[in-house]
């Protein structure tokens, strides 16, 4: 739940945040629900960006003319040309309609600051952000799976209690503060890894660990609970009774059953991941979409704000869809009778 | 079929000593934010370049920053700002959120569908994106930040209240009360409030922690509260370049933020989830 909002993990076990899997009986329905969400994202981002545009101080026509032709080459006539061309003399409702219809045609316009097409910038940044997100999820699994399974196999044991304490402490450190601490220790004091930027694979390590640790703080507990439940289930005892070895029971039954809540939980963490990407990219000067968004807000480059926010929003929807489908893949019950995952 | 939800509670290691710790810490932080600035007696904005980057002394309890401003005064003034914004946005998210949740559950039909659709629309985007876009409309203003945070936080109260209220209001006891002619206000107070109260408090604690984090994060990436205001995130950005001269300085706002969020999380009790 509080997962949904900003960047700290869920706390109350209320199904939360866009996990509409109780409605997605078929793949088609899942696609339709996420498609609707995508349209909603585009509308919200578009309208917000339009309002931002209107809220800019000064005359938009002059500003755009200056951006196009340079401050020295621009005059009243060129501003009027721009005004007529872009329909800036129309009523705001007509302008909003134009704005949204341009968005519907995937015309994201040009950066107000650099003059380059927003689409080109995003094409480069998206790859960087996806790389970071993948690194973060990988890092979080590397932390959460061993710790969670070890804790879940012996509830109340030493590993369980230690990892609970660690998880509580880690969750209280926001991403950017964790990033600062890791930079201070590993990049500056120990001089093991680069501080920031993007050149080689070693630049990926610190930002991924920052994000991964934050994600693992909560997901290790989800893994732990899932394993505890699977171990306590009757079918686990049955498969032991019928003669399967501990190892076989573990891999064939326990881990597969435990995987479902864990994968579903990755879906819950997606909001957290996207938000984390925005912040962590800024901390580590990672040339991705989140960094570009923050930079664009700072420099009031509104077309860029719109493009990057839209891409992040759609990325969020797309990843959610992947999780929906993955849950169906793991749990055959969700496919059969329109029943859905154990998050009911 | 929530096998994993109906698990026995006894197996979960509890941190209830942690809850006391959290509430105490929270009380101390609030007290420090309220009376601290007067006790320190320094102006958080007063620069004195001759005293820049000093260590702790009798005059400056926690040293001075790169512009010679008193760190203790700045940290406390930052605490005031963070706790004020967190408290304000928690109240303005909790009241409408809970109220609308009850309305949706009570009336059902189109009010329910309308409110749920609005809540889903807010959830279509990750919360931070919404806050960032609002902050972009009016950069540097605290009210844009506050509006954005409240707008994303109210949904949690709404969804939780609606879900629980639908169950409670369908109970025979509520039906009996209605037949006895007891008014809706009394039913909400007697039957619903005891049921949802603890959950709302939990959401409020985590929501406040989220708000504190959000304010600092946006300040840190320079799109929230702007310098020279003493705000923890802004202070981290300002002090990061001086880690070599005085590593102690950058750790101070980090520690403040950590303690506040930890106190709020622990105050809920029960470790990870209630």
């Amino acid at each position: 739940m509080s997962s949904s909002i900003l960047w700290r993990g869920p706390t109350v076990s209320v199904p939360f945040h866009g996990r509409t899997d109780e409605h997605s009986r078929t793949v088609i329905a899942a696609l339709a629900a996420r498609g609707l969400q995508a349209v909603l994202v585009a509308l919200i981002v578009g309208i917000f960006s339009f309002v931002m545009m209107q809220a800019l101080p000064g005359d938009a026509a002059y500003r755009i003319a200056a951006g196009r032709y340079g401050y020295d080459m621009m005059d009243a006539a060129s501003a009027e040309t721009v005004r007529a061309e872009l329909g800036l003399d129309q009523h705001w409702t007509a302008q909003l309609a134009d704005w949204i219809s341009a968005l519907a045609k995937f015309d994201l316009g040009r950066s107000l600051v650099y003059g380059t097409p927003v689409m080109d910038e995003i094409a480069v940044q998206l790859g960087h952000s996806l790389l970071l997100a993948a690194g973060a999820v990988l890092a979080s699994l590397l932390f959460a799976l061993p710790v969670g399974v070890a804790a879940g196999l012996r509830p109340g044991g030493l590993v369980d209690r230690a990892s609970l304490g660690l998880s509580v402490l880690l969750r209280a450190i926001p991403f950017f503060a964790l990033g600062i601490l890791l930079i201070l220790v590993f990049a500056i004091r120990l001089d093991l890894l680069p501080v920031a930027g993007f050149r080689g694979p070693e630049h990926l390590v610190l930002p991924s660990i920052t994000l991964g640790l934050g994600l693992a703080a909560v997901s290790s507990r989800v893994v732990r609970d899932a394993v505890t439940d699977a171990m306590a289930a009757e079918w686990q005892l049955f498969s032991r009774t019928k003669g399967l070895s501990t190892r076989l029971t573990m891999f064939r039954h326990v881990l597969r059953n435990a995987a479902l809540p864990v994968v579903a939980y990755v879906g819950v963490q997606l909001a957290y991941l996207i938000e984390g990407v925005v912040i962590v990219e800024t901390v580590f000067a990672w040339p991705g979409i989140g960094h570009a968004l923050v930079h664009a807000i700072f420099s009031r480059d509104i077309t860029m704000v719109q493009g990057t926010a839209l891409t992040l929003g759609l990325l969020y929807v797309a990843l959610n869809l992947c999780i929906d489908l993955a849950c169906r893949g793991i749990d055959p019950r969700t496919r059969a009778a329109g029943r859905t995952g154990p998050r009911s | 079929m929530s096998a994993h939800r109906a698990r026995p509670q006894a197996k979960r290691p509890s941190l209830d000593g942690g809850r006391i710790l959290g509430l105490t810490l929270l009380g101390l932080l609030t007290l420090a934010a309220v009376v601290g600035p007067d006790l320190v007696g320094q102006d958080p904005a007063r620069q004195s370049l001759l005293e820049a980057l000093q260590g702790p002394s009798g005059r400056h309890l926690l040293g001075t920053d790169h512009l010679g401003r008193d760190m203790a005064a700045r940290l406390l003034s930052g605490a005031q700002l963070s706790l004020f914004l967190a408290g304000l946005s928690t109240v303005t998210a909790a009241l409408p959120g809970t109220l609308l949740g009850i309305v949706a559950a009570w009336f059902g039909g189109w009010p329910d569908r309308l409110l749920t659709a609005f809540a889903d629309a807010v959830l279509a985007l990750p919360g931070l994106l919404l806050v960032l876009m609002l902050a972009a409309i009016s950069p540097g203003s605290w009210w844009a930040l506050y509006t954005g945070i409240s707008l994303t936080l109210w949904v949690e109260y709404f969804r939780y209240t609606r879900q629980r209220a639908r169950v409670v209001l369908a109970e025979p006891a509520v039906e009996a009360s209605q037949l006895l002619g007891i008014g809706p206000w009394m039913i909400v107070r007697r039957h619903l409030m005891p049921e949802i109260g603890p959950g709302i408090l939990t959401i409020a604690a985590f929501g406040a922690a989220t708000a504190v984090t959000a304010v600092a994060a946006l300040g840190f990436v320079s799109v929230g509260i702007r310098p020279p205001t003493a705000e923890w995130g802004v202070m981290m950005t300002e002090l990061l370049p001086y880690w070599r001269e005085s590593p102690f300085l950058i750790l101070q706002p980090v520690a403040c933020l950590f303690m506040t969020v930890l106190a709020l999380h622990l105050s809920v009790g029960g470790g990870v989830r209630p």
Side-chain angles (χ1 to χ4, degrees):
Chain A
M1 45 155 310
S2 71
S3 67
S4 54
I5 316 283
L6 307 173
W7 47 94
R8 276 298 120 173
T11 49
V12 181
S13 53
V14 185
F16 200 53
H17 212 270
R19 298 274 316 138
T20 49
D21 55 3
E22 51 268 61
H23 307 297
S24 45
R25 310 221 149 160
T26 63
V27 175
I28 305 291
L31 282 171
R34 292 297 173 195
L36 191 68
Q37 192 188 356
V39 171
L40 209 56
V41 165
L43 266 180
I44 294 173
V45 172
I47 290 174
F48 266 106
S49 309
F50 180 76
V51 174
M52 260 179 257
M53 206 65 167
Q54 302 290 313
L56 276 186
D59 188 330
Y62 277 85
R63 197 168 47 240
I64 294 169
R68 253 188 216 178
Y69 309 116
Y71 280 96
D72 303 335
M73 312 292 285
M74 177 275 281
D75 53 17
S78 58
E80 289 314 313
T81 320
V82 167
R83 195 188 306 280
E85 180 196 325
L86 298 180
L88 294 176
D89 44 358
Q90 291 169 325
H91 190 251
W92 69 267
T93 45
Q95 288 189 47
L96 178 61
D98 281 352
W99 184 273
I100 298 295
S101 72
L103 199 57
K105 285 179 248 161
F106 292 102
D107 175 10
L108 293 177
R110 286 165 174 277
S111 160
L112 297 186
V113 173
Y114 303 110
T116 47
V118 171
M119 208 63 127
D120 296 357
E121 300 275 335
I122 287 174
V124 179
Q125 295 152 358
L126 182 61
H128 296 162
S129 288
L130 286 177
L131 185 65
L132 176 59
V137 171
L138 187 70
S140 85
L141 291 178
L142 282 179
F143 292 122
L145 286 182
V147 173
V149 171
L153 288 178
R154 276 169 200 270
L158 184 66
V159 180
D160 190 18
R161 278 175 294 156
S163 69
L164 173 64
L166 208 60
S167 139
V168 169
L169 288 182
L170 260 180
R171 279 200 299 152
I173 310 179
F175 277 141
F176 58 102
L178 189 60
I180 293 177
L181 292 179
L182 289 177
I183 289 179
L184 286 179
V185 175
F186 289 100
I188 294 177
R189 185 107 324 180
L190 301 178
D191 202 16
L192 286 177
L193 292 159
V195 173
F198 173 73
R199 232 164 283 139
E202 70 274 16
H203 284 83
L204 184 59
V205 177
L206 273 187
S208 299
I209 291 182
T210 304
L211 265 171
L213 272 180
L215 294 169
V218 187
S219 61
S220 65
R221 301 311 294 169
V222 176
V223 174
R224 177 255 183 216
D225 285 352
V227 170
T228 313
D229 289 339
M231 288 301 284
E234 275 158 19
W235 46 257
Q236 190 266 342
L237 197 61
F238 174 70
S239 77
R240 295 285 292 126
T241 318
K242 81 181 179 189
L244 287 189
S245 68
T246 318
R247 176 181 296 252
L248 215 54
T249 307
M250 193 68 202
F251 282 100
R252 195 178 288 174
H253 296 293
V254 173
L255 288 186
R256 179 170 179 145
N257 269 278
L260 186 63
V262 173
V263 171
Y265 194 72
V266 173
V268 178
Q269 281 193 314
L270 284 177
Y272 185 45
L273 177 67
I274 299 277
E275 293 165 346
V277 162
V278 174
I279 298 294
V280 169
E281 279 183 356
T282 312
V283 175
F284 288 95
W286 186 261
I289 296 190
H291 185 109
L293 170 63
V294 169
H295 195 75
I297 290 176
F298 190 71
S299 57
R300 323 224 61 187
D301 187 348
I302 289 160
T303 44
M304 218 38 210
V305 171
Q306 172 175 265
T308 46
L310 184 68
T311 314
L312 283 171
L314 292 181
L315 183 65
Y316 174 60
V317 178
L319 290 176
N320 259 312
L321 181 65
C322 294
I323 297 290
D324 288 352
L325 299 179
C327 284
R328 299 175 58 84
I330 295 173
D331 187 356
R333 286 168 302 185
T334 58
R335 276 168 268 168
R339 280 278 350 269
T340 48
R343 313 210 119 235
S344 75
Chain B
M1 93 108 225
S2 30
H4 74 283
R5 208 180 289 168
R7 81 184 70 88
Q9 288 294 311
K11 280 191 297 182
R12 178 181 302 279
S14 88
L15 272 186
D16 258 339
R19 177 159 205 194
I20 299 164
L21 181 70
L23 288 171
T24 317
L25 203 53
L26 197 59
L28 287 177
L29 280 166
T30 316
L31 190 70
V34 174
V35 302
D38 288 331
L39 283 183
V40 171
Q42 298 264 7
D43 181 357
R46 208 185 82 85
Q47 302 185 3
S48 163
L49 291 177
L50 289 175
E51 294 177 289
L53 297 174
Q54 285 184 352
S57 64
R59 187 168 145 73
H60 301 289
L61 287 177
L62 292 172
T64 55
D65 71 359
H66 59 298
L67 296 175
R69 295 175 292 194
D70 184 65
M71 280 300 285
R74 290 182 70 72
L75 288 171
L76 287 169
S77 149
Q80 247 174 5
L81 181 73
S82 290
L83 292 179
F84 171 70
L85 276 181
L88 193 64
S89 52
T90 301
V91 170
T92 46
L95 286 182
T98 311
L99 218 58
L100 291 176
I102 296 174
V103 166
W106 189 283
F107 293 103
W110 67 263
D112 184 24
R113 265 177 308 210
L114 194 71
L115 287 168
T116 310
F118 183 44
D120 283 346
V122 173
L123 292 186
L125 276 173
L128 179 68
L129 279 187
L130 209 59
V131 176
L132 274 175
M133 301 212 74
L134 261 162
I137 292 177
S138 176
S141 67
W142 67 269
W143 66 263
L145 211 57
Y146 153 71
T147 314
I149 292 171
S150 300
L151 189 66
T152 45
L153 286 181
W154 76 275
V155 182
E156 287 183 63
Y157 300 92
F158 170 76
R159 288 177 60 119
Y160 175 76
T161 309
R162 174 176 172 275
Q163 197 194 21
R164 294 307 294 272
R166 278 158 70 104
V167 176
V168 172
L169 294 178
E171 277 170 5
V174 172
E175 201 183 348
S177 305
Q178 276 176 320
L179 289 175
L180 282 171
I182 293 174
W185 174 239
M186 206 57 176
I187 290 178
V188 167
R189 238 182 70 187
R190 280 286 162 80
H191 293 277
L192 195 55
M193 278 308 169
E195 192 65 32
I196 63 173
I200 295 288
L201 279 183
T202 302
I203 298 177
F206 280 94
T210 301
V212 170
T213 312
V215 171
L218 264 62
F220 178 73
V221 298
S222 307
V223 292
I225 303 285
R226 292 273 165 93
T229 308
E231 192 278 319
W232 292 339
V234 172
M235 290 170 73
M236 290 180 212
T237 313
E238 289 175 342
L239 293 171
L240 195 52
Y242 301 97
W243 64 270
R244 202 186 290 275
E245 292 90 329
S246 26
F248 182 54
L249 283 183
I250 172 83
L251 292 178
Q252 289 181 28
V254 172
C256 284
L257 183 60
F258 172 66
M259 273 196 308
T260 311
V261 176
L262 185 68
L264 283 164
H265 282 182
L266 285 180
S267 69
V268 168
V272 175
R273 273 178 279 175

